[in-house]
Amino acid sequence: MGLGIVVILLLALILIALVMYNLSLSKKIKKFNSINETIKGLNIVQDFMNTIGESTSVDEKINKINEILLERYGVKYSTIVVFNGAEYVIRATNVDEKHWDTLKNLHKEEIFKDSITTAQAKYITIDREEEKLPYQKMEFGRAKSAMFFPLYIDNVYIGYWIIESGTMHAFDKIDSTVLEIVKENIVAVLKNVTYQNTMENIHRKDKFTDLYSAEYLYGRGKKIIDQYTTSTICMFKIVNIEEINEKFGRKAGDNTIIQISNLVKKSISSEYLFIRYMGPKFVIVFSGVDTESVIGFVQNIKAYIENVNIETPTTKAKTKSKNTINPVLNFVISNYYKGTGLEGVNKKLEDYLDSADKNESDINCI
């Protein structure tokens, strides 16, 4: 009798020990999964930051981020929609184009209006195969569950991110906390590329020379330049432009700028960027070419232009006489390395030309 009680107590202790072990193991597994999800989230953030730093367009960056989301989370569809000030625009999606009108108008759907107002995610799914999600129109059966995330920058609503699955209750057990972190990083990416997006779209051509303005360098131009590891930036200034304006009139000065830009355009390869930087200052970017290889070429251009007699009518003379103008140029050259600040290099060159002696007409490397 006593032995039986001992055996029962022993088995009870073993059972309790096993239960405690299982509870401990369960907690460790949950903790491990939590750590794993955190690492996964951090890896995605790192991929986001790497993407931001790439020398690609804004659209390419946002599409790559969407591809990262699809790959890492195994969702079937992911779509990022942004309000550009005039309309809702799909910035990234892997959904067939025939469904884009629906995806661009989710902000009008009653089921998502509260989510937008409260800035809270919305999870919807169906329970029976014959049902469909409330916002679905012609895409019946395409998605059977979805998570909708409104996007805000500095408390200003800018659009939304929606992930969809072809499986019912697909996101029942997904860690929404991690998805919220991902959402915030999507917002951070959109915020960081706003400046780049502006630069890519505000470039214009100078009405006198038909050359791109300085903004082009920091948008589309930089994408071309950064195809190479090293390039040479050359900035030059028409040193005597003020003298020309004072002596012969503003039209003569404008004509001098036009003539010089045309001469340079004819002298350099079309693969190099030639920009009217500001006023009498111009920039030539020799993409993929080192400084030593550029100097001789620049010396030839300088000598050629300064020996050209530019004929221009004067607006200051009483008669319609022709005047001959000989431009004087000051050149400065520097290296540019991919991944560094192009604007910093240009500022350094501009500061040098602006602070140089008015009589300086040379070719300097800095």
Side-chain angles (χ1 to χ4, degrees):
M1 183 74 177
L3 182 60
I5 293 173
V6 171
V7 171
I8 291 171
L9 289 173
L10 183 61
L11 289 174
L13 289 172
I14 293 173
L15 182 61
I16 291 170
L18 287 172
V19 169
M20 295 297 292
Y21 174 76
N22 285 335
L23 287 172
S24 175
L25 185 61
S26 177
K27 287 180 180 179
K28 288 180 180 179
I29 291 172
K30 285 181 180 179
K31 186 176 181 180
F32 174 79
N33 288 336
S34 177
I35 294 171
N36 193 43
E37 286 297 319
T38 302
I39 293 172
K40 183 179 179 180
L42 290 173
N43 287 337
I44 291 175
V45 172
Q46 183 61 53
D47 287 342
F48 281 7
M49 300 312 295
N50 291 339
T51 301
I52 291 174
E54 291 177 358
S55 299
T56 56
S57 70
V58 170
D59 286 337
E60 288 173 320
K61 287 178 179 178
I62 295 175
N63 274 291
K64 184 169 182 180
I65 284 168
N66 204 48
E67 290 171 6
I68 292 170
L69 295 171
L70 289 164
E71 178 185 346
R72 294 299 182 88
Y73 284 100
V75 296
K76 191 168 184 180
Y77 304 110
S78 176
T79 302
I80 299 172
V81 179
V82 175
F83 182 65
N84 66 4
E87 60 181 347
Y88 284 81
V89 179
I90 291 180
R91 299 305 304 269
T93 187
N94 66 322
V95 178
D96 192 285
E97 190 172 353
K98 65 184 179 182
H99 304 303
W100 286 9
D101 281 341
T102 298
L103 292 171
K104 284 192 296 185
N105 289 286
L106 294 182
H107 59 285
K108 298 178 181 178
E109 296 290 335
E110 286 297 328
I111 196 166
F112 296 131
K113 285 182 178 180
D114 184 57
S115 175
I116 293 171
T117 302
T118 60
Q120 298 295 315
K122 180 75 174 182
Y123 174 37
I124 55 175
T125 187
I126 61 173
D127 294 313
R128 296 189 300 273
E129 287 292 339
E130 63 271 18
E131 295 178 338
K132 66 176 182 178
L133 296 176
Y135 64 87
Q136 290 185 324
K137 306 295 189 264
M138 61 181 289
E139 64 269 36
F140 177 76
R142 178 182 67 82
K144 297 176 181 178
S145 53
M147 287 195 77
F148 178 92
F149 299 88
L151 305 177
Y152 282 78
I153 291 181
D154 300 329
N155 295 321
V156 177
Y157 171 67
I158 60 149
Y160 49 86
W161 168 44
I162 183 169
I163 57 175
E164 302 170 288
S165 173
T167 305
M168 293 184 290
H169 297 277
F171 306 122
D172 285 3
K173 296 180 181 180
I174 196 165
D175 189 341
S176 59
T177 304
V178 175
L179 285 179
E180 283 290 333
I181 294 172
V182 173
K183 181 201 74 174
E184 290 305 316
N185 281 282
I186 290 174
V187 170
V189 169
L190 292 172
K191 189 174 182 179
N192 274 285
V193 298
T194 297
Y195 172 75
Q196 181 186 343
N197 187 57
T198 302
M199 295 308 299
E200 287 180 355
N201 291 287
I202 66 169
H203 64 270
R204 54 186 173 76
K205 283 194 172 183
D206 175 62
K207 65 179 182 179
F208 290 112
T209 62
D210 199 38
L211 296 175
Y212 281 115
S213 61
E215 291 85 0
Y216 182 83
L217 279 176
Y218 308 118
R220 296 185 182 180
K222 193 172 187 300
K223 185 178 177 181
I224 297 170
I225 300 166
D226 281 351
Q227 291 177 2
Y228 305 90
T229 304
T230 307
S231 297
T232 297
I233 312 292
C234 170
M235 184 180 291
F236 70 87
K237 179 180 181 180
I238 306 172
V239 178
N240 60 338
I241 193 67
E242 290 181 5
E243 180 187 335
I244 294 169
N245 287 336
E246 290 175 4
K247 187 175 181 180
F248 303 110
R250 189 60 181 263
K251 286 187 177 179
D254 290 341
N255 182 59
T256 300
I257 288 173
I258 292 169
Q259 295 298 323
I260 290 175
S261 67
N262 288 337
L263 289 171
V264 174
K265 271 190 281 189
K266 292 177 182 177
S267 301
I268 64 173
S269 169
S270 59
E271 66 184 278
Y272 302 135
L273 299 182
F274 181 36
I275 306 293
R276 185 176 182 185
Y277 190 75
M278 187 180 296
K281 293 188 283 285
F282 296 81
V283 168
I284 308 171
V285 181
F286 298 92
S287 303
V289 182
D290 59 70
T291 303
E292 290 72 20
S293 302
V294 166
I295 293 175
F297 179 72
V298 171
Q299 287 173 336
N300 292 334
I301 286 183
K302 176 177 168 60
Y304 170 57
I305 292 176
E306 291 184 338
N307 285 318
V308 169
N309 293 320
I310 299 175
E311 287 191 352
T312 185
T314 179
T315 58
K316 293 202 169 185
K318 293 182 179 179
T319 58
K320 294 181 179 180
S321 60
K322 293 279 186 179
N323 298 283
T324 299
I325 294 172
N326 294 107
V328 180
L329 309 180
N330 196 12
F331 282 78
V332 63
I333 299 170
S334 183
N335 281 318
Y336 166 72
Y337 301 96
K338 178 181 177 180
T340 60
L342 179 58
E343 65 281 1
V345 175
N346 288 329
K347 185 66 168 61
K348 179 177 68 173
L349 299 178
E350 184 180 20
D351 287 346
Y352 179 88
L353 290 177
D354 287 343
S355 62
D357 188 281
K358 289 185 178 181
N359 296 316
E360 181 179 311
S361 172
D362 210 340
I363 298 173
N364 294 284
C365 296
I366 59 174

